[in-house]
Amino acid sequence: YYEYFAHGQEMCSASFVSYTSATGGQTLVAGCMAAYDRTRSTPDLLGVTCMDTSMITDVAAWRTQPGWNFFACTASDMTKQCRQLDLKECHRQKIRAAHSAQSVCNIDSEQQTYSTATASTVCPCRDQGCQDDPAFRDEKGYFCDTWVGDDCKAAAASWGYSD
C-alpha cells in the first residue's frame, strides 16, 4: 500500500497532524515528511519522519500568539494539497515484481510489455511539472482536495456541474 504511493508521489513539503497526547491529554501538532532513497532510478520510500512542534515551543502558549492563526491556516492548506500520483504501467509492474513474481500482470499495456520489469528497468519519465494549483476553485468554490477520489467526468451528472 505505502509503496504504491511512495513510488507515485514525491513529497516536497510537510503535512501536519494535530493529535492528543497519550500522556498529558494536551493537543499537539507535528510536521511530517517522507524520506526517499534517491540513489536509484525510482525513489524508494525509506520512511516517514515527524517532529512535534512542542519540541520547539509550548503549543498551548503558541495558540495565544498572533502568528498561530496564520500557521494553522498555512499548515491546513499544505496538508490538504493534492499531490501528483503518476504511475505508468511500468512503475506498477516494478512494484508488483518487488513483491513476488506471481504478482506481475502478464499484459501488454500502453503498447509496451512490462511483464519482465525488474528493479533495474528504466520506466518512462513522469511529468515533474504536474503540480497542484493552490489557487484552484471549482465553479462551486471548492478546493482540489474535495475532488480526491471522485470521477471528474461524472461531475455534471452527479453533482450538477456544467460540462
Side-chain angles (χ1 to χ4, degrees):
Y1 174 80
Y2 294 108
E3 286 296 316
Y4 178 79
F5 290 102
H7 284 282
Q9 300 181 18
E10 288 201 46
M11 308 284 183
C12 298
S13 61
S15 290
F16 292 87
V17 62
S18 178
Y19 64 99
T20 303
S21 167
T23 56
Q26 68 268 34
T27 300
L28 301 173
V29 178
C32 304
M33 283 191 68
Y36 299 95
D37 176 358
R38 298 184 198 288
T39 61
R40 303 177 199 177
S41 61
T42 302
D44 285 326
L45 178 68
L46 294 172
V48 175
T49 186
C50 297
M51 181 174 170
D52 197 285
T53 56
S54 66
M55 300 292 289
I56 300 168
T57 188
D58 177 5
V59 176
W62 187 18
R63 287 175 175 259
T64 66
Q65 300 299 312
W68 170 259
N69 287 337
F70 176 78
F71 166 76
C73 184
T74 301
S76 175
D77 288 349
M78 287 172 65
T79 301
K80 291 178 187 174
Q81 203 170 43
C82 298
R83 292 179 166 85
Q84 173 190 6
L85 181 60
D86 181 21
L87 289 175
K88 306 285 186 221
E89 185 59 24
C90 178
H91 300 103
R92 291 189 292 268
Q93 288 286 58
K94 286 175 71 170
I95 294 169
R96 293 176 191 126
H99 179 70
S100 74
Q102 292 78 24
S103 298
V104 175
C105 297
N106 293 316
I107 57 172
D108 186 7
S109 179
E110 299 177 14
Q111 278 36 37
Q112 295 184 28
T113 302
Y114 292 109
S115 59
T116 59
T118 66
S120 61
T121 301
V122 177
C123 295
C125 293
R126 299 178 192 136
D127 180 3
Q128 294 298 319
C130 180
Q131 299 295 325
D132 187 27
D133 179 356
F136 172 82
R137 306 282 188 287
D138 68 20
E139 67 186 59
K140 294 187 178 184
Y142 293 104
F143 293 97
C144 173
D145 66 304
T146 59
W147 284 94
V148 173
D150 291 323
D151 181 0
C152 297
K153 294 177 181 140
S158 299
W159 302 292
Y161 282 83
S162 62
D163 290 330

mmCIF file of all heavy atoms in Angstrom, residues 101-147:
data_model
loop_
_atom_site.group_PDB
_atom_site.id
_atom_site.type_symbol
_atom_site.label_atom_id
_atom_site.label_comp_id
_atom_site.label_asym_id
_atom_site.label_seq_id
_atom_site.Cartn_x
_atom_site.Cartn_y
_atom_site.Cartn_z
ATOM 1 N N ALA A 101 6.972 -12.713 -8.005
ATOM 2 C CA ALA A 101 6.812 -12.964 -9.435
ATOM 3 C C ALA A 101 5.356 -13.278 -9.777
ATOM 4 O O ALA A 101 4.882 -12.964 -10.866
ATOM 5 C CB ALA A 101 7.716 -14.115 -9.863
ATOM 6 N N GLN A 102 4.627 -13.848 -8.828
ATOM 7 C CA GLN A 102 3.224 -14.179 -9.057
ATOM 8 C C GLN A 102 2.337 -12.935 -9.091
ATOM 9 O O GLN A 102 1.210 -12.998 -9.566
ATOM 10 C CB GLN A 102 2.704 -15.135 -7.969
ATOM 11 C CG GLN A 102 3.320 -16.523 -8.010
ATOM 12 C CD GLN A 102 4.719 -16.551 -7.396
ATOM 13 O OE1 GLN A 102 5.079 -15.721 -6.576
ATOM 14 N NE2 GLN A 102 5.531 -17.509 -7.831
ATOM 15 N N SER A 103 2.833 -11.821 -8.601
ATOM 16 C CA SER A 103 2.051 -10.579 -8.577
ATOM 17 C C SER A 103 2.112 -9.809 -9.886
ATOM 18 O O SER A 103 1.335 -8.900 -10.107
ATOM 19 C CB SER A 103 2.555 -9.673 -7.450
ATOM 20 O OG SER A 103 2.392 -10.297 -6.210
ATOM 21 N N VAL A 104 3.046 -10.170 -10.770
ATOM 22 C CA VAL A 104 3.235 -9.458 -12.027
ATOM 23 C C VAL A 104 2.120 -9.805 -13.008
ATOM 24 O O VAL A 104 1.770 -10.964 -13.176
ATOM 25 C CB VAL A 104 4.612 -9.785 -12.650
ATOM 26 C CG1 VAL A 104 4.775 -9.146 -14.010
ATOM 27 C CG2 VAL A 104 5.717 -9.342 -11.705
ATOM 28 N N CYS A 105 1.555 -8.784 -13.622
ATOM 29 C CA CYS A 105 0.499 -8.982 -14.617
ATOM 30 C C CYS A 105 1.131 -9.291 -15.971
ATOM 31 O O CYS A 105 2.088 -8.636 -16.376
ATOM 32 C CB CYS A 105 -0.362 -7.735 -14.742
ATOM 33 S SG CYS A 105 -1.228 -7.322 -13.221
ATOM 34 N N ASN A 106 0.606 -10.260 -16.650
ATOM 35 C CA ASN A 106 1.095 -10.622 -17.974
ATOM 36 C C ASN A 106 0.226 -9.961 -19.026
ATOM 37 O O ASN A 106 -0.520 -10.612 -19.747
ATOM 38 C CB ASN A 106 1.081 -12.142 -18.149
ATOM 39 C CG ASN A 106 2.078 -12.799 -17.237
ATOM 40 O OD1 ASN A 106 3.202 -12.341 -17.114
ATOM 41 N ND2 ASN A 106 1.671 -13.877 -16.582
ATOM 42 N N ILE A 107 0.322 -8.640 -19.103
ATOM 43 C CA ILE A 107 -0.490 -7.872 -20.044
ATOM 44 C C ILE A 107 0.402 -6.988 -20.896
ATOM 45 O O ILE A 107 1.512 -6.655 -20.509
ATOM 46 C CB ILE A 107 -1.530 -6.990 -19.318
ATOM 47 C CG1 ILE A 107 -0.830 -6.051 -18.322
ATOM 48 C CG2 ILE A 107 -2.591 -7.821 -18.636
ATOM 49 C CD1 ILE A 107 -1.736 -5.018 -17.707
ATOM 50 N N ASP A 108 -0.096 -6.646 -22.057
ATOM 51 C CA ASP A 108 0.588 -5.701 -22.926
ATOM 52 C C ASP A 108 -0.177 -4.393 -22.791
ATOM 53 O O ASP A 108 -1.253 -4.233 -23.337
ATOM 54 C CB ASP A 108 0.568 -6.199 -24.372
ATOM 55 C CG ASP A 108 1.395 -5.294 -25.275
ATOM 56 O OD1 ASP A 108 2.062 -4.385 -24.755
ATOM 57 O OD2 ASP A 108 1.351 -5.508 -26.502
ATOM 58 N N SER A 109 0.359 -3.483 -22.004
ATOM 59 C CA SER A 109 -0.326 -2.231 -21.707
ATOM 60 C C SER A 109 0.453 -1.065 -22.288
ATOM 61 O O SER A 109 1.684 -1.089 -22.305
ATOM 62 C CB SER A 109 -0.446 -2.072 -20.193
ATOM 63 O OG SER A 109 -1.072 -0.873 -19.880
ATOM 64 N N GLU A 110 -0.252 -0.053 -22.723
ATOM 65 C CA GLU A 110 0.366 1.157 -23.271
ATOM 66 C C GLU A 110 1.308 0.819 -24.432
ATOM 67 O O GLU A 110 2.341 1.452 -24.609
ATOM 68 C CB GLU A 110 1.092 1.949 -22.183
ATOM 69 C CG GLU A 110 0.194 2.425 -21.069
ATOM 70 C CD GLU A 110 0.951 3.150 -19.968
ATOM 71 O OE1 GLU A 110 2.120 3.525 -20.167
ATOM 72 O OE2 GLU A 110 0.356 3.349 -18.915
ATOM 73 N N GLN A 111 0.986 -0.217 -25.214
ATOM 74 C CA GLN A 111 1.749 -0.655 -26.374
ATOM 75 C C GLN A 111 3.168 -1.109 -26.005
ATOM 76 O O GLN A 111 4.034 -1.215 -26.847
ATOM 77 C CB GLN A 111 1.835 0.437 -27.436
ATOM 78 C CG GLN A 111 0.662 0.587 -28.377
ATOM 79 C CD GLN A 111 -0.709 0.344 -27.763
ATOM 80 O OE1 GLN A 111 -0.960 0.680 -26.641
ATOM 81 N NE2 GLN A 111 -1.613 -0.241 -28.509
ATOM 82 N N GLN A 112 3.423 -1.355 -24.736
ATOM 83 C CA GLN A 112 4.718 -1.866 -24.321
ATOM 84 C C GLN A 112 4.486 -2.985 -23.311
ATOM 85 O O GLN A 112 3.579 -2.906 -22.503
ATOM 86 C CB GLN A 112 5.567 -0.771 -23.672
ATOM 87 C CG GLN A 112 5.927 0.340 -24.640
ATOM 88 C CD GLN A 112 6.850 1.348 -23.984
ATOM 89 O OE1 GLN A 112 7.596 1.020 -23.092
ATOM 90 N NE2 GLN A 112 6.790 2.573 -24.450
ATOM 91 N N THR A 113 5.306 -4.003 -23.362
ATOM 92 C CA THR A 113 5.167 -5.098 -22.419
ATOM 93 C C THR A 113 6.126 -4.878 -21.257
ATOM 94 O O THR A 113 7.318 -4.730 -21.467
ATOM 95 C CB THR A 113 5.475 -6.450 -23.097
ATOM 96 O OG1 THR A 113 4.595 -6.593 -24.194
ATOM 97 C CG2 THR A 113 5.299 -7.596 -22.138
ATOM 98 N N TYR A 114 5.581 -4.853 -20.067
ATOM 99 C CA TYR A 114 6.406 -4.671 -18.874
ATOM 100 C C TYR A 114 6.312 -5.878 -17.956
ATOM 101 O O TYR A 114 6.627 -5.804 -16.788
ATOM 102 C CB TYR A 114 5.994 -3.408 -18.130
ATOM 103 C CG TYR A 114 6.322 -2.152 -18.894
ATOM 104 C CD1 TYR A 114 5.328 -1.383 -19.457
ATOM 105 C CD2 TYR A 114 7.641 -1.753 -19.054
ATOM 106 C CE1 TYR A 114 5.635 -0.234 -20.168
ATOM 107 C CE2 TYR A 114 7.964 -0.614 -19.772
ATOM 108 C CZ TYR A 114 6.952 0.145 -20.319
ATOM 109 O OH TYR A 114 7.263 1.282 -21.022
ATOM 110 N N SER A 115 5.883 -7.023 -18.487
ATOM 111 C CA SER A 115 5.751 -8.216 -17.650
ATOM 112 C C SER A 115 7.104 -8.713 -17.152
ATOM 113 O O SER A 115 7.168 -9.484 -16.210
ATOM 114 C CB SER A 115 5.011 -9.322 -18.391
ATOM 115 O OG SER A 115 5.695 -9.671 -19.568
ATOM 116 N N THR A 116 8.190 -8.248 -17.775
ATOM 117 C CA THR A 116 9.530 -8.655 -17.338
ATOM 118 C C THR A 116 10.247 -7.534 -16.595
ATOM 119 O O THR A 116 11.460 -7.579 -16.422
ATOM 120 C CB THR A 116 10.378 -9.087 -18.558
ATOM 121 O OG1 THR A 116 10.454 -7.986 -19.473
ATOM 122 C CG2 THR A 116 9.775 -10.306 -19.238
ATOM 123 N N ALA A 117 9.502 -6.537 -16.134
ATOM 124 C CA ALA A 117 10.113 -5.405 -15.431
ATOM 125 C C ALA A 117 10.822 -5.874 -14.166
ATOM 126 O O ALA A 117 10.319 -6.717 -13.429
ATOM 127 C CB ALA A 117 9.049 -4.371 -15.073
ATOM 128 N N THR A 118 12.011 -5.328 -13.961
ATOM 129 C CA THR A 118 12.793 -5.624 -12.754
ATOM 130 C C THR A 118 13.155 -4.303 -12.097
ATOM 131 O O THR A 118 12.834 -3.225 -12.615
ATOM 132 C CB THR A 118 14.086 -6.377 -13.106
ATOM 133 O OG1 THR A 118 14.926 -5.499 -13.873
ATOM 134 C CG2 THR A 118 13.801 -7.652 -13.875
ATOM 135 N N ALA A 119 13.856 -4.367 -10.995
ATOM 136 C CA ALA A 119 14.259 -3.158 -10.278
ATOM 137 C C ALA A 119 15.117 -2.249 -11.151
ATOM 138 O O ALA A 119 15.111 -1.034 -10.987
ATOM 139 C CB ALA A 119 15.006 -3.525 -8.998
ATOM 140 N N SER A 120 15.843 -2.819 -12.117
ATOM 141 C CA SER A 120 16.724 -2.010 -12.961
ATOM 142 C C SER A 120 16.047 -1.502 -14.240
ATOM 143 O O SER A 120 16.648 -0.735 -14.989
ATOM 144 C CB SER A 120 17.978 -2.797 -13.313
ATOM 145 O OG SER A 120 17.626 -3.955 -14.036
ATOM 146 N N THR A 121 14.804 -1.907 -14.490
ATOM 147 C CA THR A 121 14.089 -1.429 -15.678
ATOM 148 C C THR A 121 13.894 0.077 -15.589
ATOM 149 O O THR A 121 13.482 0.599 -14.552
ATOM 150 C CB THR A 121 12.708 -2.113 -15.800
ATOM 151 O OG1 THR A 121 12.907 -3.525 -15.878
ATOM 152 C CG2 THR A 121 11.952 -1.626 -17.015
ATOM 153 N N VAL A 122 14.232 0.766 -16.668
ATOM 154 C CA VAL A 122 14.029 2.213 -16.711
ATOM 155 C C VAL A 122 12.636 2.475 -17.293
ATOM 156 O O VAL A 122 12.359 2.118 -18.431
ATOM 157 C CB VAL A 122 15.123 2.909 -17.555
ATOM 158 C CG1 VAL A 122 14.858 4.402 -17.643
ATOM 159 C CG2 VAL A 122 16.496 2.633 -16.965
ATOM 160 N N CYS A 123 11.793 3.083 -16.489
ATOM 161 C CA CYS A 123 10.419 3.377 -16.905
ATOM 162 C C CYS A 123 10.350 4.757 -17.550
ATOM 163 O O CYS A 123 11.235 5.589 -17.332
ATOM 164 C CB CYS A 123 9.491 3.344 -15.695
ATOM 165 S SG CYS A 123 9.339 1.712 -14.943
ATOM 166 N N PRO A 124 9.280 5.008 -18.318
ATOM 167 C CA PRO A 124 9.113 6.337 -18.912
ATOM 168 C C PRO A 124 9.070 7.413 -17.823
ATOM 169 O O PRO A 124 8.619 7.152 -16.705
ATOM 170 C CB PRO A 124 7.762 6.250 -19.619
ATOM 171 C CG PRO A 124 7.490 4.800 -19.782
ATOM 172 C CD PRO A 124 8.197 4.103 -18.665
ATOM 173 N N CYS A 125 9.533 8.581 -18.162
ATOM 174 C CA CYS A 125 9.576 9.683 -17.195
ATOM 175 C C CYS A 125 8.178 10.134 -16.800
ATOM 176 O O CYS A 125 7.235 10.053 -17.578
ATOM 177 C CB CYS A 125 10.320 10.879 -17.776
ATOM 178 S SG CYS A 125 12.066 10.558 -18.034
ATOM 179 N N ARG A 126 8.090 10.636 -15.588
ATOM 180 C CA ARG A 126 6.864 11.249 -15.108
ATOM 181 C C ARG A 126 6.936 12.733 -15.397
ATOM 182 O O ARG A 126 8.016 13.306 -15.504
ATOM 183 C CB ARG A 126 6.728 11.047 -13.608
ATOM 184 C CG ARG A 126 6.672 9.601 -13.227
ATOM 185 C CD ARG A 126 6.578 9.468 -11.722
ATOM 186 N NE ARG A 126 6.801 8.078 -11.375
ATOM 187 C CZ ARG A 126 7.555 7.667 -10.387
ATOM 188 N NH1 ARG A 126 8.142 8.531 -9.612
ATOM 189 N NH2 ARG A 126 7.718 6.400 -10.157
ATOM 190 N N ASP A 127 5.792 13.375 -15.499
ATOM 191 C CA ASP A 127 5.750 14.812 -15.718
ATOM 192 C C ASP A 127 5.978 15.524 -14.391
ATOM 193 O O ASP A 127 5.069 15.649 -13.576
ATOM 194 C CB ASP A 127 4.395 15.214 -16.311
ATOM 195 C CG ASP A 127 4.293 16.713 -16.572
ATOM 196 O OD1 ASP A 127 5.288 17.436 -16.343
ATOM 197 O OD2 ASP A 127 3.210 17.150 -16.988
ATOM 198 N N GLN A 128 7.214 15.945 -14.152
ATOM 199 C CA GLN A 128 7.554 16.612 -12.891
ATOM 200 C C GLN A 128 6.925 17.995 -12.780
ATOM 201 O O GLN A 128 6.854 18.570 -11.713
ATOM 202 C CB GLN A 128 9.075 16.716 -12.733
ATOM 203 C CG GLN A 128 9.751 15.377 -12.583
ATOM 204 C CD GLN A 128 9.311 14.624 -11.341
ATOM 205 O OE1 GLN A 128 9.153 15.197 -10.282
ATOM 206 N NE2 GLN A 128 9.098 13.328 -11.482
ATOM 207 N N GLY A 129 6.452 18.532 -13.903
ATOM 208 C CA GLY A 129 5.828 19.851 -13.876
ATOM 209 C C GLY A 129 4.377 19.813 -13.425
ATOM 210 O O GLY A 129 3.762 20.852 -13.194
ATOM 211 N N CYS A 130 3.811 18.619 -13.282
ATOM 212 C CA CYS A 130 2.412 18.500 -12.882
ATOM 213 C C CYS A 130 2.315 18.707 -11.375
ATOM 214 O O CYS A 130 2.811 17.904 -10.601
ATOM 215 C CB CYS A 130 1.867 17.132 -13.265
ATOM 216 S SG CYS A 130 0.144 16.900 -12.815
ATOM 217 N N GLN A 131 1.720 19.786 -10.970
ATOM 218 C CA GLN A 131 1.593 20.114 -9.553
ATOM 219 C C GLN A 131 0.193 20.621 -9.262
ATOM 220 O O GLN A 131 -0.517 21.080 -10.145
ATOM 221 C CB GLN A 131 2.614 21.191 -9.163
ATOM 222 C CG GLN A 131 4.054 20.797 -9.356
ATOM 223 C CD GLN A 131 4.486 19.659 -8.459
ATOM 224 O OE1 GLN A 131 4.053 19.550 -7.329
ATOM 225 N NE2 GLN A 131 5.335 18.783 -8.979
ATOM 226 N N ASP A 132 -0.179 20.574 -8.002
ATOM 227 C CA ASP A 132 -1.457 21.109 -7.572
ATOM 228 C C ASP A 132 -1.444 22.629 -7.743
ATOM 229 O O ASP A 132 -0.417 23.277 -7.567
ATOM 230 C CB ASP A 132 -1.696 20.755 -6.103
ATOM 231 C CG ASP A 132 -3.087 21.129 -5.631
ATOM 232 O OD1 ASP A 132 -4.014 21.179 -6.455
ATOM 233 O OD2 ASP A 132 -3.244 21.369 -4.429
ATOM 234 N N ASP A 133 -2.576 23.191 -8.105
ATOM 235 C CA ASP A 133 -2.722 24.640 -8.217
ATOM 236 C C ASP A 133 -3.396 25.126 -6.941
ATOM 237 O O ASP A 133 -4.594 24.924 -6.752
ATOM 238 C CB ASP A 133 -3.577 24.977 -9.445
ATOM 239 C CG ASP A 133 -3.800 26.464 -9.614
ATOM 240 O OD1 ASP A 133 -3.360 27.256 -8.747
ATOM 241 O OD2 ASP A 133 -4.436 26.844 -10.609
ATOM 242 N N PRO A 134 -2.640 25.761 -6.030
ATOM 243 C CA PRO A 134 -3.219 26.178 -4.754
ATOM 244 C C PRO A 134 -4.355 27.199 -4.913
ATOM 245 O O PRO A 134 -5.172 27.357 -4.026
ATOM 246 C CB PRO A 134 -2.057 26.791 -3.980
ATOM 247 C CG PRO A 134 -0.872 26.724 -4.850
ATOM 248 C CD PRO A 134 -1.233 26.081 -6.145
ATOM 249 N N ALA A 135 -4.422 27.850 -6.059
ATOM 250 C CA ALA A 135 -5.470 28.847 -6.282
ATOM 251 C C ALA A 135 -6.722 28.235 -6.914
ATOM 252 O O ALA A 135 -7.719 28.922 -7.123
ATOM 253 C CB ALA A 135 -4.939 29.975 -7.172
ATOM 254 N N PHE A 136 -6.693 26.915 -7.212
ATOM 255 C CA PHE A 136 -7.827 26.277 -7.881
ATOM 256 C C PHE A 136 -9.085 26.316 -7.030
ATOM 257 O O PHE A 136 -9.067 26.005 -5.848
ATOM 258 C CB PHE A 136 -7.513 24.823 -8.223
ATOM 259 C CG PHE A 136 -8.724 24.067 -8.731
ATOM 260 C CD1 PHE A 136 -9.111 24.177 -10.052
ATOM 261 C CD2 PHE A 136 -9.482 23.284 -7.878
ATOM 262 C CE1 PHE A 136 -10.233 23.499 -10.523
ATOM 263 C CE2 PHE A 136 -10.599 22.596 -8.332
ATOM 264 C CZ PHE A 136 -10.977 22.708 -9.654
ATOM 265 N N ARG A 137 -10.184 26.694 -7.651
ATOM 266 C CA ARG A 137 -11.521 26.594 -7.062
ATOM 267 C C ARG A 137 -12.430 26.125 -8.193
ATOM 268 O O ARG A 137 -12.372 26.655 -9.304
ATOM 269 C CB ARG A 137 -12.062 27.935 -6.567
ATOM 270 C CG ARG A 137 -11.178 28.693 -5.617
ATOM 271 C CD ARG A 137 -11.238 28.129 -4.208
ATOM 272 N NE ARG A 137 -10.544 28.970 -3.261
ATOM 273 C CZ ARG A 137 -9.239 29.101 -3.142
ATOM 274 N NH1 ARG A 137 -8.446 28.466 -3.957
ATOM 275 N NH2 ARG A 137 -8.691 29.873 -2.230
ATOM 276 N N ASP A 138 -13.276 25.130 -7.925
ATOM 277 C CA ASP A 138 -14.201 24.715 -8.965
ATOM 278 C C ASP A 138 -15.327 25.740 -9.064
ATOM 279 O O ASP A 138 -15.342 26.734 -8.335
ATOM 280 C CB ASP A 138 -14.704 23.283 -8.728
ATOM 281 C CG ASP A 138 -15.598 23.139 -7.507
ATOM 282 O OD1 ASP A 138 -16.161 24.134 -7.032
ATOM 283 O OD2 ASP A 138 -15.746 22.000 -7.035
ATOM 284 N N GLU A 139 -16.262 25.526 -9.964
ATOM 285 C CA GLU A 139 -17.301 26.533 -10.203
ATOM 286 C C GLU A 139 -18.231 26.734 -9.009
ATOM 287 O O GLU A 139 -18.945 27.720 -8.939
ATOM 288 C CB GLU A 139 -18.113 26.201 -11.452
ATOM 289 C CG GLU A 139 -18.951 24.949 -11.338
ATOM 290 C CD GLU A 139 -19.633 24.583 -12.646
ATOM 291 O OE1 GLU A 139 -18.919 24.363 -13.646
ATOM 292 O OE2 GLU A 139 -20.863 24.538 -12.660
ATOM 293 N N LYS A 140 -18.163 25.827 -8.023
ATOM 294 C CA LYS A 140 -18.967 25.996 -6.806
ATOM 295 C C LYS A 140 -18.116 26.475 -5.632
ATOM 296 O O LYS A 140 -18.586 26.560 -4.509
ATOM 297 C CB LYS A 140 -19.684 24.692 -6.458
ATOM 298 C CG LYS A 140 -20.738 24.324 -7.508
ATOM 299 C CD LYS A 140 -21.567 23.145 -7.089
ATOM 300 C CE LYS A 140 -22.617 22.862 -8.165
ATOM 301 N NZ LYS A 140 -23.520 21.794 -7.782
ATOM 302 N N GLY A 141 -16.832 26.756 -5.912
ATOM 303 C CA GLY A 141 -15.947 27.323 -4.899
ATOM 304 C C GLY A 141 -15.169 26.318 -4.069
ATOM 305 O O GLY A 141 -14.509 26.694 -3.108
ATOM 306 N N TYR A 142 -15.211 25.028 -4.434
ATOM 307 C CA TYR A 142 -14.493 24.014 -3.662
ATOM 308 C C TYR A 142 -13.043 23.889 -4.122
ATOM 309 O O TYR A 142 -12.721 24.098 -5.282
ATOM 310 C CB TYR A 142 -15.188 22.655 -3.786
ATOM 311 C CG TYR A 142 -16.541 22.627 -3.139
ATOM 312 C CD1 TYR A 142 -17.699 22.671 -3.917
ATOM 313 C CD2 TYR A 142 -16.674 22.563 -1.759
ATOM 314 C CE1 TYR A 142 -18.952 22.653 -3.325
ATOM 315 C CE2 TYR A 142 -17.925 22.549 -1.163
ATOM 316 C CZ TYR A 142 -19.059 22.590 -1.948
ATOM 317 O OH TYR A 142 -20.293 22.577 -1.365
ATOM 318 N N PHE A 143 -12.149 23.526 -3.179
ATOM 319 C CA PHE A 143 -10.730 23.322 -3.464
ATOM 320 C C PHE A 143 -10.505 21.943 -4.068
ATOM 321 O O PHE A 143 -11.369 21.069 -4.019
ATOM 322 C CB PHE A 143 -9.900 23.436 -2.175
ATOM 323 C CG PHE A 143 -9.888 24.811 -1.587
ATOM 324 C CD1 PHE A 143 -10.760 25.149 -0.559
ATOM 325 C CD2 PHE A 143 -9.018 25.774 -2.053
ATOM 326 C CE1 PHE A 143 -10.754 26.412 -0.010
ATOM 327 C CE2 PHE A 143 -9.004 27.046 -1.514
ATOM 328 C CZ PHE A 143 -9.875 27.359 -0.487
ATOM 329 N N CYS A 144 -9.297 21.722 -4.565
ATOM 330 C CA CYS A 144 -8.899 20.462 -5.186
ATOM 331 C C CYS A 144 -9.136 19.264 -4.273
ATOM 332 O O CYS A 144 -9.592 18.216 -4.721
ATOM 333 C CB CYS A 144 -7.423 20.554 -5.566
ATOM 334 S SG CYS A 144 -6.699 19.033 -6.156
ATOM 335 N N ASP A 145 -8.845 19.400 -2.968
ATOM 336 C CA ASP A 145 -8.929 18.245 -2.077
ATOM 337 C C ASP A 145 -10.335 17.663 -1.973
ATOM 338 O O ASP A 145 -10.494 16.499 -1.637
ATOM 339 C CB ASP A 145 -8.386 18.583 -0.683
ATOM 340 C CG ASP A 145 -9.228 19.618 0.047
ATOM 341 O OD1 ASP A 145 -9.432 20.710 -0.507
ATOM 342 O OD2 ASP A 145 -9.670 19.321 1.162
ATOM 343 N N THR A 146 -11.359 18.430 -2.307
ATOM 344 C CA THR A 146 -12.718 17.894 -2.244
ATOM 345 C C THR A 146 -12.995 16.950 -3.418
ATOM 346 O O THR A 146 -13.972 16.203 -3.380
ATOM 347 C CB THR A 146 -13.778 19.016 -2.235
ATOM 348 O OG1 THR A 146 -13.642 19.801 -3.406
ATOM 349 C CG2 THR A 146 -13.625 19.887 -1.013
ATOM 350 N N TRP A 147 -12.147 16.960 -4.431
ATOM 351 C CA TRP A 147 -12.329 16.111 -5.618
ATOM 352 C C TRP A 147 -11.539 14.816 -5.551
ATOM 353 O O TRP A 147 -11.697 13.946 -6.394
ATOM 354 C CB TRP A 147 -11.932 16.883 -6.876
ATOM 355 C CG TRP A 147 -12.969 17.873 -7.264
ATOM 356 C CD1 TRP A 147 -13.013 19.196 -6.926
ATOM 357 C CD2 TRP A 147 -14.140 17.620 -8.035
ATOM 358 N NE1 TRP A 147 -14.141 19.776 -7.445
ATOM 359 C CE2 TRP A 147 -14.852 18.826 -8.136
ATOM 360 C CE3 TRP A 147 -14.659 16.495 -8.648
ATOM 361 C CZ2 TRP A 147 -16.048 18.937 -8.828
ATOM 362 C CZ3 TRP A 147 -15.855 16.605 -9.338
ATOM 363 C CH2 TRP A 147 -16.537 17.814 -9.420
#
